[in-house]
Amino acid sequence: LRMASASGEMKAKESKQGKKKPTTLEMLASAYERVPEHERAKDHPTSVCLNLLQNSPEKLLDVIPITMRACRECGLPPGIKFPPGKSLMKAYYEVDREVNGKPSQELDAEAKKAAYQTWMEMSQTLDKTLKLLFDKAKDHLGS
């Protein structure tokens, strides 16, 4: 009985604090709804990419919000070249901007240069992570 009461108290506190930010998986699901309809076909590489991400360890997913923070800082969508993840990550960026907004302050030239460098590095890291997921899945499936 005490646990149910504590759980109710926690929910009451949550609702008083306002809306909780969505998780990476929730934002991925929202982003997926924004990709072109043909990419939502079950066997399309974008759908496979979403499925692989949804079944990945949480630590691996950390690269997504970190990349999106870098994207927000310089105002550019992630520079993903890997086709299966490209439109999903672009849509995720749109969702992220709606949830987190734009940076509140203008960056000076030096900070812009640093933000762009971070954006480039994080975009490459996310791109490589998506490729790695596909490679590991292919190895696992033996194809």
Side-chain angles (χ1 to χ4, degrees):
L1 242 170
R2 178 67 194 139
M3 279 182 68
S5 169
S7 172
E9 288 169 16
M10 283 176 58
K11 284 180 184 171
K13 279 183 186 174
E14 258 181 37
S15 64
K16 283 180 188 172
Q17 291 171 351
K19 213 169 159 188
K20 238 176 29 167
K21 281 197 177 185
T23 65
T24 300
L25 287 174
E26 289 167 341
M27 288 176 69
L28 272 169
S30 295
Y32 183 68
E33 294 302 316
R34 296 176 185 217
V35 299
E37 190 174 339
H38 73 277
E39 292 187 31
R40 286 181 271 165
K42 190 177 78 166
D43 58 345
H44 191 281
T46 299
S47 295
V48 174
C49 184
L50 175 70
N51 191 286
L52 290 171
L53 286 167
Q54 288 173 325
N55 292 293
S56 295
E58 223 172 286
K59 285 283 184 200
L60 188 128
L61 293 177
D62 287 348
V63 73
I64 298 172
I66 293 168
T67 300
M68 294 304 149
R69 188 174 337 129
C71 292
R72 277 193 314 275
E73 286 294 313
C74 70
L76 294 170
I80 303 300
K81 293 180 176 93
F82 188 56
K86 191 173 187 167
S87 64
L88 182 61
M89 289 302 121
K90 185 177 183 299
Y92 190 103
Y93 172 71
E94 293 167 6
V95 172
D96 180 81
R97 283 180 58 121
E98 288 171 12
V99 170
N100 295 303
K102 297 177 185 177
S104 54
Q105 60 200 35
E106 225 8 74
L107 301 176
D108 64 31
E110 196 60 36
K112 274 185 184 174
K113 187 177 174 184
Y116 179 76
Q117 184 66 36
T118 302
W119 168 84
M120 203 166 62
E121 290 169 5
M122 289 311 303
S123 289
Q124 290 170 351
T125 300
L126 180 55
D127 197 53
K128 288 176 183 173
T129 301
L130 296 173
K131 285 180 192 167
L132 177 70
L133 273 176
F134 269 77
D135 290 346
K136 289 293 178 190
K138 282 180 187 173
D139 290 349
H140 184 69
L141 298 172
S143 47

